[in-house]
C-alpha cells in the first residue's frame, strides 16, 4: 500500500505561504501527474513527499503512516530533481550506480539495471564522462537513469524530460510506462508538457498557487474542467473563455450577437438560476466557415499560426480573443468568418466562484463516449 | 574554455607582480642565499666564509639526530593530520548537516582559541598540565589518579605539543572547511540522503570530493604550517627535549642556527627540509590533485 | 636602531655638544630585575649630559640576546655594551669584536688604572677571562645555585636544615619527605643547561674539563650521575622542566629545590610556606664547588666616543649603590668587593638567610664549563641531551663515555 | 535530521559541548589568573575565579609600558599586513584562475612552494636586508616580510576554482571588466573564505613574536607579544599573573573586533549554495 | 548587418568531434530555430557564436567579420544559458540589471527595461529574492529577463522556456516576438518544442550529431523534409517511415500489399530510375476507415492514445509501426482498419543516401497552397 496522503498540509518558506491546506491522496501504484503554472508549488510537494522539506503544518501519510518525521532515506523514494543534482565528481556510470553500490546490491544486478536504464536513455557512450562534459539533455537523462535503477516504492519525477527532444521524450516516456507496469511504483510526475500529462498520467492533479484545482482522470480534466483556471490551463492552445455572457430565456448574448442555447442546456441553466455566465469552449470545438451557418456568430481572423500538423486561427469575437484549430488554412488575415459552436462541447462557469456549473445529463452521456479510455501499450 | 586572456598579458603581470615581487624579495631570495650558505662553514659574523662543498650536507645526513627528528616530524604530521584535518572535516560536516541548533555558537566557540597566540597557549599548557601542581593534576589527585610526566616522556610529549597546536589551529581549519562544505549544492546531498546513504559515506563520497579544493589547502597547510607552529610550544615548553624527543625539522633548523650558531649546517638542514616538502608537494600534485574536483 | 638613536639625541637637544648615544642590551625580564635596569639607566642619564644610554631588552635570556646580537652584528649594527651569559664567554670572545676594559682604561682613563684589581676578587674577575687569557669583560651578575627549603614540609618530616650539608643527606631527606608527607622531596633544576648538574659533579671531585678536554667520564662523574639517576628513579625527586619544577616548589608540592639564587624573590614573594635556603650541598668529604651563573658586561662599541661612553656607564653600574640596587632588584650576588659599603646591601646579606647562604659560597666559585672555541654551545647541548637520556633511564657509564667522546671529537 | 538523525545529532551535540568546554577552559583560566595575585595563583591552583579580585597586574602593566602606544603599533601592523596580504593574494589568485599564460603552472608551483620555506631560512637574510635600508626598530620593517606569504594565494586560488565558470562567462558576455567581475561576482562568492583567512592573517600577525623580537628594540615600537616576553624568564621565574594580563589584553582586542562584527562574519559562513 | 556565418567550422572537445565541417549562414535580423536531438551540438554552436567556446578549425564570421579571436564581450551578444547561470548572491532585480548598471545605462532606462521584462515574465513579486529562493521556472524566467534587457545585436536562447508551463510559454514566446519585431536582433533559438520551433522560427536549422540536416522555413521542414532524419524528427508524432518499399511499374509493394501510385508520382519515380524506396507520410495524412476504400491498405490497431484534442492511433502496417491521428477514437484495440494514403502528401527517400528524392511539379503546387505563410502577430 504505497499511497500518499496529504491532510491539511501547510508549507511556508519564511513568511511566504507556498501550500495552504492541501488535502488529497495519491493511490498506491498510480501515475499521478502534477500540473500547474510555474512557481505554484509542484516541486515543493515532491520535496515534502521525499522528506527533503519539512511539513510546516498538517500531516503527511505514506503507506498510511504519518511520515512528517521520517528522514528521507527511510521513505524509499526515488526522485529526479528539476535541476538534476548530479554528483559532479563522479562519472555517468558512477552517478547511476552509486546508490546501489552503497546498498550493496550485487554487482551483476547493478550492471543489469544500469544497462537497462542506459539503454532506453541512450547513455551508453557517455559512461565515463563527468557531468560537466555532457549536454543539458544528457545530464537530464543521467538524472533520470540514476533514479530509475533504484526500483523504489515511490518515484518522483520533476520535469524529467524537459530538456529532451520530442522523439527521445516519447521513447523515454514509453520506457517509463513499461518500468511502471513492471514495478507498479507510485509515481508522481511533474511536467509542463500537456500531451505528456494526458498520455502519461492515470490521474492529473492541477495546482494553482498551492491550491488544488482539480484531481481527476486526464479525460475529465480536459473535457470537464472543474473551473475556469483548469479550462484555461489545459489544452494547447487553451480553451477559449468568453466572459460577460448574458443568459436570458434560452438566449446567450455574446457582445452584440446572440445564439440560441439547445434545449437541454436551457433547462439546465435555468434550474441553476443564473444569468451572468462565463462560456468556455476548446479551439478544436469551434468550426469556422466562410458563410454563415444556423446558430453561428461572426468573427474576424486576426492571424493564423502554422503548428505543423494544423493551424491555429486567432480570432476576434466581439472584442475577445479566441482561437480555433483547423486542419488547413483557407482564411486570410482580416477576413470575416463564421464560428459555429458545438453545443455538446461547451462549458459554463459561475462568474463568481469560477467553478463549472456542471452538465445536463445527456451531455455527460455524449462526453463519456469520447473518453473511451486508452489501455496501456 | 576561454582563450582570450592569453593576449592581455599585461593584466596578468599587473595582478601577479605585487605577490611575485614580495615573495621573491622576502622568501625566494633568502632561500637562494641560504642555499649558497649551505656550502660554507660560517656563522654569519666571522669575516671569512670557508667553502666546504657538501660537507654540511654530509654532516646533517650522517648525524643520527637528523633521523630522530625526521621520525618525530613524521609523527607530528600524522597527529596533526588527524587532529587538524580529519577531525575538523568531520566536525564541519556534522555541524552543517546534522546539527540544527546553536550552529553559530559552536562555530564561534571552536574558532575562539584561534585568537590566542601559541606562546600564550604554551604557557597555559605548562601550567594547566603541570603533572605535580597544575589544576588538572589536582583534580586527578583528588580522584586518585595522576597525570603522566608528559614533558619528559618520549612520544607523549609530541602528542601534548600537537594538542597545543591543535587548540589554536583547529578553529581556523574548521571554519574554512565549513565554508567550503556549506558551499556545496544542497540538492546533491539531498539526492544522496534520498538513497539512504549513511552520513559517513556522504562525507566520504560526496562532501569530501566536492569540497576537495579547499580540503587540499587545509591538508597542505596542516602539514606545513602545522610543523612551523610546533616551533612555539617546543621553544617555550621543552626546547626540543627530552633528548630531541619533541624536536622537529623546523625547530631543529632553528636550533642549529640560533642556539648552536652553526649557520652552514642549519642552511643545509633547511634546504634538505625544503627538498622534502617539495617532494611532498609533488606527490600531492601527482596523487591528490587529479582527484580534486574543480568547477573550472 | 639608527632611527631610535637619532630620535633620542634630538630629544636631549639644548646641550652644546650632542651627547653620545649608546645602546645597552640586557636580558632581564621584569621578574629578573628588568625594572632595576631601567631605573639605573634613567639615573645615569639624568646624572650627566654627555652620554645617553638606551636600554634594549632582549627576550629569551642570554640565548635570545646572543641570537639578536648575532643578527645585529652581521648587519653591522652592534650595540655598545652587552650582557653576555657566562656560558657564552668562549663563543662570544672567539666570534665577536670586543674591547678589553683595561684597553679603554689605559687609553682614555689613566686614573682608573687599578679599577679592576680594586673592585673584584680575583677568582671572580677570572670568571670573565677566556681560555686564551683575555679579559672579555667584567663580571656583572653573579648567581649561584642554592638549596631552597620548604620548612613547612621539612618540619613535618622532621628534618633539620642544618643537616643538609651533603648531597647524601639531601637524598636521605628527600626520601624521608616523600615517605612522611607524600610530597616530592627534591627538585633539581632542569633548565636548558646543565649548570646544576655541574655543581654536583664538581663538588664530587669530577672535572668537567681538564686541559681543554672533556673529562667528566670519570669515576666521580659516573658516581654523581648515578646518584642523580637513583634519586629520580627512587621517586622522591622530581624530573620535570624548570618552569613546572619551580611552579611545583612555589606551590608547596616539593620539599627542597636546587635552584639559582635568582629565584629568591619569586619564592619569597609568592610562596605561602616558610622558605629558607642553605648553600649548595657538596658530597661527603669533598670540597664544595659552585659554578658561577649570570653574566659579564662586554664592550662591543668600536668608535672611541662610544667606547668611552660605555665605560662611563659601566663605571656607574659598579658604584656600590648601583650594585646594591642591582643585587636587590635581581636577587643576584654582588660582584664587587666594595658593594657592601652600601648599608642596605650589607644588612640584606646579613639578615636575609637566602642571600647569606648564596653569599657564603662566593669563595667556592668556579667558572661554568668553559668548553673551548666554537664547540661550547654544541657541547652544552650534548650534555643536556645526555642528562635527559640518563634521567630517562639510560645507562650512565655508556652515556657519559659516548658524550665525552663526541664532545672531544668536536673540540679536536 | 529526523528521528534517527536526532539521536545521533544529540550525541554529536554533547561531544561538541565537551570539546567547547575543553577549548574554552584555558581561556577562562587565563582570564581568571589575570585578576589574581601571583601568590594566589601559586597557592590556589584550582580556583578559576579569583578569591580576591585584583587589578594589580593590569595597573603594573600600565605603569611599566606605553600600553596604548604598543596596542596602536600592534594594530597598525596587523591591519596593514592583513589588508596587503588579502589584496595581493586575491589579485594573484584571480590571475592564476582566470587568466591563462604559458608560465602559469610553473609559476604557481614556485609560489606555492614558498609556503614550505621555514622562517628560519628567511629570518636572517631578511634582517640583513632590512637593516641595510634602515628599517630595524621600525614598524614597516615588521610588516614587510610578513606580507610575503603565499598561503592566501593558495587558498583563494583553490576557492576560486570551485566557482561555477558559467557565472564568469555570463559576465564576460556582458563585457564586464575584470575589475567589476572581481568586485561584484568573485569577491561576494568567496567572502566566507576571505573572511576566515583575513581573520587568520590578522590574528597571526597580531600575535607574531619571533620576527618582531628580532627587529624591534625600543619599547615605543613594541608589540604586545614582545611585552609579554618581558614577564617570562627561566632565571627569575615567570610572572604568570602579569603574563596572563598581557595575554588577556592581547587576545581581547581581536576578540572584541570579532564579537562586534560577529553577526556579519558568521553570517558569511552560513551562506550556503554557491552553486 | 548582424549576420553570422559558419565556414568549415570544426569543433572538438579533446578527441571528440562535436561539430564537423559546418557551413551555414544566419541572416541579420532573422529568428533561426536550432533543432536537433539531445547532445547534437546546439549549445556548442551557441557558445561558439557567443565566443565562450573557441572554434577548433574553420572560420566564424559575424557582421561579415572573422570573429574567431574576438572576445565574448566585444561581440554584443545576449544569451540565455541552458542552466541559467544566475548570480547566486544577487537578488532577481540585481541579476537582471547588473549588466546594465555596469554599462552605465541611465537609471530610468534600466527601470523601464526591467519593468518591461519582469512584466511579461511575471517576475515582479520576486524582485528581492535570491535565485535559491525561486522555483525552477522562476529561475529560468530571470535568466531570460536578464538577457532581454540587454538589447544586444545578437540574441541567443538555449531552451529558454523549457521549464515553463504551456500558457506562460505561449505568452513569453509572443512577447519575445514583439521584442524581436521592435529591435530586429538576430535571434538563435534552441528548443525541443516542435510547436515553438514551427511558430517562432523564420527558419529552422536541423542538426544531427553536429551535421546540418536541413535549413529552411518551418513549412518546408515540415512538409518537404530533406531526408529521413528530418521527416522522423519533426512532427509529433513523427512521420511514418515505411522502409523496404518496392517500386515496379507504378505499383508500390508494401509488405504483402500493394498500391497503385498516382500518375505524376509514377512518372517522377520512373525518371529517377529506382525501385528500392523509403516511403514517408505524416500521421495526419493517413485516413482510417472501418471499411476498405479504393487504394487503401489493411492495418491493425495496436492501441490508441488520448492526446487531449485528438487521438493517436498506433497501427501495425505489415509488421511496421505507424501512427495515425484522428479527431475521435472509434477504433478498438486489435481491430482491422483500412488506411488511405493521400498521394499528394507522401515523400520518397533514397534508400542509401536517405535523402528525399524530390517531388513532381504538381505536388509542389499543391503543397505551396498549404504553406500560406502566417504573418507575424
Ligand atoms: N567538455 C566536454 N567534453 C567532451 N564532450 C563534451 C563536452 N561538452 C559537451 N560535450 C559533448 O558535446 C556534444 C554536444 O553538446 P551540446 O551541449 O552542444 O549539445 P546540445 O545539442 O545542446 O544538447 P542538449 O539538447 O542535450 O542540450 C554532446 O554530445 C556532449 O556530450
Ligand atoms: N527558499 C524559498 N524562500 C521563499 N520562497 C520560496 C523558496 N523556495 C521556493 N519558494 C517559492 O515557492 C513557490 C513554489 O516553488 P516550487 O519550486 O514548488 O514551484 P514549482 O511549482 O516547482 O515551479 P516550477 O514549475 O517553476 O518549477 C515559488 O513561488 C517559489 O518562489
Ligand atoms: Mg519546480
Ligand atoms: Mg544544450
Amino acid at each position: 500500500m504505497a499511497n500518499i496522503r496529504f491532510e491539511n498540509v501547510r508549507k511556508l518558506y519564511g513568511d511566504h505561504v507556498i501550500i495552504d491546506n492541501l488535502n488529497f491522496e495519491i493511490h498506491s501504484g498510480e501515475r499521478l501527474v502534477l500540473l500547474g503554472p510555474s512557481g505554484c508549488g509542484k516541486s515543493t510537494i515532491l520535496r515534502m513527499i521525499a522528506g527533503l522539506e519539512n511539513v510546516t503544518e498538517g500531516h503527511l501519510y505514506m503507506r498510511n503512516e504519518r511520515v512528517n518525521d521520517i528522514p528521507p532515506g527511510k521513505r524509499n523514494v526515488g526522485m529526479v530533481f528539476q535541476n538534476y543534482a548530479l554528483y559532479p565528481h563522479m562519472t555517468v556510470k558512477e552517478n547511476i550506480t552509486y546508490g546501489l553500490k552503497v546498498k550493496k546490491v550485487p554487482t551483476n544486478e547493478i550492471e543489469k539495471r544500469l544497462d537497462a536504464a542506459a539503454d532506453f536513455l541512450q547513455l551508453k557512450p557517455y559512461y565515463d564522462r563527468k557531468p560537466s562534459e555532457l549536454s543539458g539533455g544528457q545530464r537530464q537523462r543521467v538524472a533520470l537513469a540514476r533514479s530509475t535503477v533504484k526500483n523504489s516504492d515511490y518515484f518522483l519525477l520533476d520535469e524529467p524530460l524537459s530538456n529532451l527532444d520530442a522523439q527521445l521524450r516519447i521513447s523515454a516516456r514509453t520506457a517509463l510506462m513499461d518500468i511502471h507496469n513492471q514495478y507498479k511504483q507510485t509515481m508522481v510526475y511533474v511536467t509542463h508538457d500537456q500531451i505528456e500529462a494526458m498520455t502519461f498520467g492515470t490521474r492529473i492533479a492541477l495546482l494553482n498557487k498551492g491550491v488544488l484545482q482539480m484531481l481527476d482522470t486526464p479525460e475529465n480534466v480536459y473535457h470537464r474542467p472543474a473551473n475556469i483556471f483548469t479550462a484555461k490551463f489545459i489544452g494547447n492552445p487553451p480553451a477559449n473563455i468568453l466572459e460577460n455572457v448574458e443568459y436570458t430565456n434560452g438566449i446567450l448574448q455574446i457582445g452584440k450577437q446572440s445564439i440560441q442555447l439547445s434545449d437541454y442546456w436551457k433547462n439546465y441553466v435555468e434550474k441553476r438560476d443564473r444569468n451572468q455566465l462565463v462560456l468556455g469552449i476548446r479551439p478544436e470545438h469551434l468550426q469556422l466557415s466562410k458563410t454563415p451557418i444556423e446558430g453561428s456568430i461572426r468573427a474576424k481572423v486576426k492571424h493564423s499560426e502554422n503548428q505543423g500538423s494544423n493551424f491555429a486561427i486567432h480570432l476576434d469575437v466581439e472584442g475577445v480573443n479566441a482561437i480555433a484549430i483547423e486542419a488547413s488554412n483557407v482564411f486570410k488575415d482580416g477576413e470575416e468568418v463564421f464560428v459555429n459552436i458545438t453545443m455538446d462541447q461547451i462549458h459554463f462557469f459561475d462568474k463568481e466562484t469560477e467553478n463549472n456549473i456542471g452538465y445536463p445529463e445527456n451531455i455527460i452521456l455524449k462526453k463519456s463516449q469520447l473518453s473511451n479510455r486508452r489501455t496501456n501499450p | 574554455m576561454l582563450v582570450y586572456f592569453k593576449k592581455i598579458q599585461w593584466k596578468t603581470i599587473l595582478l601577479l607582480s605585487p605577490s611575485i615581487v614580495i615573495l621573491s624579495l622576502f622568501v625566494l631570495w633568502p632561500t637562494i642565499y641560504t642555499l649558497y650558505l649551505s656550502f660554507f662553514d660560517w656563522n654569519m659574523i666571522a669575516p671569512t666564509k670557508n667553502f666546504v662543498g657538501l660537507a654540511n650536507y654530509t654532516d646533517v645526513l650522517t648525524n643520527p639526530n637528523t633521523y630522530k627528528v625526521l621520525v618525530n616530524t613524521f609523527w607530528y604530521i600524522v597527529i596533526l593530520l588527524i587532529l587538524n584535518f580529519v577531525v575538523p572535516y568531520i566536525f564541519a560536516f556534522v555541524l552543517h548537516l546534522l546539527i540544527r541548533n546553536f550552529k553559530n555558537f559552536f562555530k564561534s566557540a571552536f574558532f575562539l582559541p584561534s585568537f590566542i597566540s601559541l606562546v600564550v597557549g604554551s604557557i597555559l599548557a605548562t601550567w594547566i598540565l603541570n603533572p605535580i601542581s597544575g589544576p588538572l593534576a589536582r583534580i586527578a589527585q583528588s580522584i586518585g589518579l595522576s597525570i603522566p610526566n608528559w614533558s619528559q616522556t618520549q612520544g607523549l610529549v609530541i602528542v601534548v605539543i600537537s594538542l597545543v597546536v591543535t587548540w589554536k589551529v583547529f578553529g581556523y581549519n574548521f571554519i574554512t572547511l565549513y565554508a567550503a562544505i556549506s558551499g556545496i549544492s544542497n540538492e546533491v546531498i539531498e539526492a544522496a540522503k534520498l538513497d539512504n546513504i549513511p552520513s559517513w559515506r556522504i562525507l566520504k563520497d560526496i562532501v569530501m570530493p566536492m569540497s576537495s579544493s579547499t580540503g587540499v589547502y587545509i591538508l597542505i597547510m596542516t602539514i606545513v604550517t602545522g610543523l612551523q607552529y610546533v616551533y612555539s610550544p617546543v621553544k617555550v615548553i621543552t626546547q626540543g627535549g627530552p633528548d630531541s624527543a619533541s624536536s622537529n625539522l623546523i625547530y631543529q633548523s632553528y636550533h642549529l642556527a640560533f642556539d648552536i650558531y652553526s649557520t652552514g649546517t642549519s642552511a643545509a638542514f633547511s634546504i634538505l627540509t625544503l627538498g622534502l616538502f617539495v617532494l611532498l608537494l609533488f606527490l600531492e600534485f601527482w596523487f591528490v590533485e587529479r582527484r580534486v574536483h574543480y568547477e573550472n | 636602531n639608527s632611527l631610535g638613536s637619532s630620535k633620542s639625541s634630538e630629544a636631549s637637544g639644548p646641550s652644546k655638544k650632542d651627547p653620545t648615544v649608546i645602546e645597552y642590551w640586557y636580558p632581564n625580564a621584569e621578574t629578573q630585575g628588568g625594572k632595576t635596569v631601567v631605573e639605573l639607566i634613567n639615573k645615569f642619564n639624568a646624572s650627566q649630559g654627555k652620554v645617553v644610554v638606551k636600554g634594549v631588552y632582549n627576550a629569551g635570556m642570554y640565548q635570545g640576546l646572543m641570537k639578536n646580537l648575532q643578527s645585529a652584528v652581521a648587519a653591522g649594527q652592534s650595540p655598545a655594551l652587552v650582557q653576555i651569559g657566562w656560558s657564552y664567554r668562549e663563543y662570544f670572545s672567539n666570534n665577536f669584536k670586543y674591547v678589553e676594559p683595561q684597553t679603554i682604561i689605559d687609553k682614555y682613563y689613566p686614573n682608573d688604572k687599578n679599577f679592576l684589581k680594586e673592585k673584584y676578587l680575583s677568582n671572580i674577575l677570572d670568571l670573565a677571562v677566556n681560555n686564551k687569557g683575555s679579559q672579555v669583560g667584567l663580571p656583572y651578575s653573579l648567581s649561584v645555585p642554592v638549596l631552597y627549603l620548604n620548612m613547612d614540609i621539612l618540619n613535618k618530616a622532621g628534618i633539620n636544615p642544618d643537616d643538609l650539608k651533603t648531597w647524601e643527606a639531601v637524598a636521605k631527606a628527600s626520601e624521608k619527605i616523600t615517605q612522611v608527607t607524600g610530597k616530592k622531596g627534591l627538585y633539581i633544576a632542569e633548565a636548558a643547561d646543565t649548570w646544576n648538574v655541574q655543581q654536583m659533579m664538581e663538588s664530587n671531585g669530577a672535572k668537567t674539563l681538564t686541559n681543554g678536554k672533556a673529562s667528566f667520564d670519570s669515576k666521580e662523574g659516573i658516581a654523581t650521575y648515578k646518584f642523580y639517576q637513583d634519586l629520580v628513579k627512587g621517586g622522591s625527586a622530581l624530573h620535570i622542566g624548570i618552569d613546572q619544577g619551580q611552579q611545583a616548589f612555589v606551590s608547596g608540592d616539593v620539599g627542597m629545590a636546587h635552584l639559582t639564587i635568582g629565584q629568591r624573590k619569586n619564592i619569597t614573594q609568592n610562596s605561602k610556606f616558610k622558605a629558607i635556603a642553605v648553600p649548595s650541598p657538596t658530597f661527603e668529604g669533598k670540597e664544595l664547588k659552585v659554578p658561577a651563573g649570570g653574566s659579564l658586561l662586554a664592550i662591543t662599541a668600536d668608535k672611541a666616543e662610544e667606547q668611552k661612553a660605555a665605560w662611563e656607564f659601566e663605571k656607574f653600574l659598579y658604584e656600590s649603590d648601583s650594585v646594591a640596587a642591582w643585587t636587590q632588584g635581581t636577587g643576584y650576588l654582588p660582584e664587587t668587593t666594595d658593594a657592601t659599603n652600601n648599608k642596605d646591601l650589607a644588612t640584606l646579606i646579613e639578615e636575609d638567610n637566602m642571600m647569606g647562604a648564596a653569599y657564603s659560597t662566593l669563595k667556592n666559585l668556579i667558572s661554568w664549563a668553559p668548553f673551548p672555541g666554537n664547540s661550547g654551545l654544541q657541547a652544552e647541548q650534548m650534555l643536556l641531551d645526555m642528562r635527559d637520556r640518563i634521567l630517562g633511564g639510560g645507562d650512565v657509564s655508556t652515556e657519559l663515555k659516548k658524550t665525552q667522546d663526541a664532545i672531544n671529537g668536536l673540540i679536536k | 535530521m529526523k528521528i534517527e538523525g536526532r539521536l545521533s545529532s544529540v550525541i554529536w551535540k554533547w561531544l561538541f559541548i565537551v570539546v567547547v568546554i575543553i577549548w574554552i577552559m584555558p581561556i577562562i583560566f587565563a582570564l581568571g589568573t589575570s585578576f589574581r595575585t601571583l601568590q594566589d595563583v601559586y597557592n590556589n591552583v584550582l580556583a578559576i575565579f579569583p578569591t580576591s579580585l585584583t587589578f594589580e597586574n593590569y595597573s603594573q602593566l600600565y605603569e611599566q609600558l606605553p600600553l596604548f602606544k604598543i596596542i596602536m603599533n600592534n594594530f597598525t601592523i596587523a591591519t596593514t599586513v592583513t589588508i596587503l596580504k588579502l589584496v595581493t593574494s586575491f589579485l594573484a589568485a584571480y590571475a592564476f584562475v582566470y587568466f591563462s599564460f604559458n608560465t602559469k603552472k610553473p609559476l604557481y608551483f614556485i609560489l606555492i612552494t614558498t609556503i614550505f620555506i621555514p622562517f628560519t631560512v628567511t629570518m636572517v637574510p631578511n634582517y640583513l636586508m632590512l637593516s641595510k635600508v634602515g628599517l630595524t626598530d621600525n614598524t614597516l620593517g615588521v610588516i614587510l616580510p610578513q606580507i610575503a606569504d603565499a598561503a592566501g594565494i593558495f587558498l583563494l586560488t583553490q576557492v576560486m576554482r570551485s566557482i561555477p565558470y558559467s557565472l564568469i562567462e555570463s559576465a564576460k558576455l556582458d563585457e564586464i571588466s575584470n575589475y567589476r567581475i572581481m568586485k561584484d561576482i568573485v569577491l561576494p562568492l568567496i567572502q566566507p573564505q576571505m573572511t576566515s583567512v583575513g581573520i587568520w592573517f590578522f590574528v597571526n600577525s597580531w600575535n607574531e613574536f619571533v620576527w618582531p623580537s628580532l627587529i624591534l628594540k625600543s619599547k615605543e615600537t613594541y608589540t604586545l607579544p614582545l611585552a609579554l616576553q618581558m614577564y617570562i624568564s627561566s632565571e627569575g621565574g615567570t610572572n604568570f599573573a602579569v603574563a596572563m594580563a598581557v595575554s588577556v589584553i592581547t587576545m581581547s582586542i581581536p576578540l572584541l573586533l570579532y564579537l562586534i562584527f560577529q553577526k556579519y562574519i558568521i553570517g558569511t559562513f552560513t551562506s550556503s549554495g554557491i552553486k
Side-chain angles (χ1 to χ4, degrees), chain B:
Chain B
M1 197 167 290
L2 292 169
V3 282
Y4 311 99
F5 298 126
K6 245 182 193 145
K7 292 197 167 160
I8 35 178
Q9 289 241 355
W10 63 269
K11 271 189 191 164
T12 316
I13 294 165
L14 194 73
L15 295 187
L16 286 176
S17 51
S19 297
I20 291 179
V21 167
I22 288 179
L23 285 170
S24 312
L25 215 54
F26 295 108
V27 183
L28 287 177
W29 180 79
T31 308
I32 293 165
Y33 183 70
T34 300
L35 180 67
Y36 165 78
L37 285 185
S38 71
F39 300 109
F40 290 89
D41 179 14
W42 191 52
N43 62 3
M44 264 184 338
I45 41 175
T48 52
K49 305 184 182 90
N50 289 328
F51 181 78
V52 292
L54 292 173
N56 287 327
Y57 288 92
T58 43
D59 264 12
V60 169
L61 290 174
T62 52
N63 190 341
N65 215 28
T66 304
Y67 299 97
K68 186 167 187 186
V69 167
L70 205 61
V71 171
N72 290 350
T73 306
F74 171 77
W75 285 115
Y76 274 119
I77 290 178
V78 170
I79 298 171
L80 289 175
L81 278 181
I82 292 170
L83 294 179
N84 291 330
F85 177 70
V86 178
V87 176
Y89 228 135
I90 295 171
F91 273 37
F93 171 76
V94 169
L95 187 65
H96 181 59
L97 286 156
L98 301 182
I99 305 274
R100 298 190 129 191
N101 312 320
F102 308 114
K103 278 192 185 200
N104 285 346
F105 166 75
F106 284 128
K107 269 182 255 171
S108 294
F110 289 149
F111 198 33
L112 207 59
S114 302
F115 286 96
I116 298 163
S117 80
L118 270 169
V119 176
V120 175
S122 310
I123 300 173
L124 281 169
T126 315
W127 266 73
I128 295 174
L129 300 179
N130 185 324
I132 301 297
S133 20
L136 217 61
R138 289 278 150 90
I139 295 169
Q141 275 159 22
S142 69
I143 51 174
L145 294 174
S146 69
I147 296 217
N149 191 1
W150 52 270
S151 65
Q152 302 296 332
T153 309
Q154 302 245 357
L156 192 57
V157 66
I158 289 181
V159 176
V160 175
I161 286 175
S162 299
L163 272 171
V164 176
V165 172
T166 299
W167 186 62
K168 176 175 174 72
V169 179
F170 182 91
Y172 169 68
N173 288 2
F174 165 81
I175 208 89
T176 307
L177 288 169
Y178 187 90
I181 289 176
S182 65
I184 296 175
S185 150
N186 252 336
E187 286 192 345
V188 173
I189 294 166
E190 285 172 346
K193 277 190 184 163
L194 268 187
D195 279 353
N196 206 16
I197 311 277
S199 293
W200 68 273
R201 292 229 40 183
I202 294 184
L203 173 66
K204 172 177 153 289
D205 297 340
I206 293 160
V207 170
M208 298 237 325
M210 286 186 70
S211 57
S212 52
S213 66
T214 301
V216 162
Y217 165 79
I218 295 294
L219 176 78
I220 292 189
M221 293 310 275
T222 300
I223 297 175
V224 182
T225 53
L227 287 183
Q228 305 215 13
Y229 286 138
V230 166
Y231 165 81
S232 289
V234 169
K235 178 97 178 109
V236 172
I237 303 175
T238 66
Q239 293 86 38
D243 190 22
S244 301
S246 61
S247 183
N248 72 4
L249 289 173
I250 309 288
Y251 182 81
Q252 187 66 14
S253 75
Y254 176 90
H255 178 70
L256 287 173
F258 298 108
D259 293 342
I260 302 200
Y261 300 105
S262 201
T263 311
T265 26
S266 169
F269 198 88
S270 302
I271 294 296
L272 287 174
T273 305
L274 185 60
L276 196 72
F277 280 166
V278 172
L279 193 73
L280 279 180
L281 187 67
F282 241 101
L283 291 179
E284 189 274 328
F285 269 89
W286 207 247
F287 290 111
V288 185
E289 192 74 356
R290 53 179 58 180
R291 290 183 218 174
V292 174
H293 172 70
Y294 295 112
E295 288 283 329
N296 50 76

Side-chain angles (χ1 to χ4, degrees), chain A residues 13 16 18 37-44 82 159 192:
Chain A
Y13 280 123
H16 300 280
I18 306 300
S38 169
C40 70
K42 304 179 294 296
S43 301
T44 308
Q82 195 169 6
E159 308 192 24
H192 283 310

Side-chain angles (χ1 to χ4, degrees), chain A residues 37-71:
Chain A
S38 169
C40 70
K42 304 179 294 296
S43 301
T44 308
I45 289 179
L46 291 200
R47 291 171 57 80
M48 287 193 291
I49 297 173
L52 300 174
E53 210 72 68
N54 64 332
V55 174
T56 313
E57 256 175 56
H59 314 281
L60 176 61
Y61 294 89
M62 290 168 77
R63 301 181 191 80
N64 290 326
E65 239 179 86
R66 190 169 181 280
V67 293
N68 289 37
D69 297 323
I70 306 289

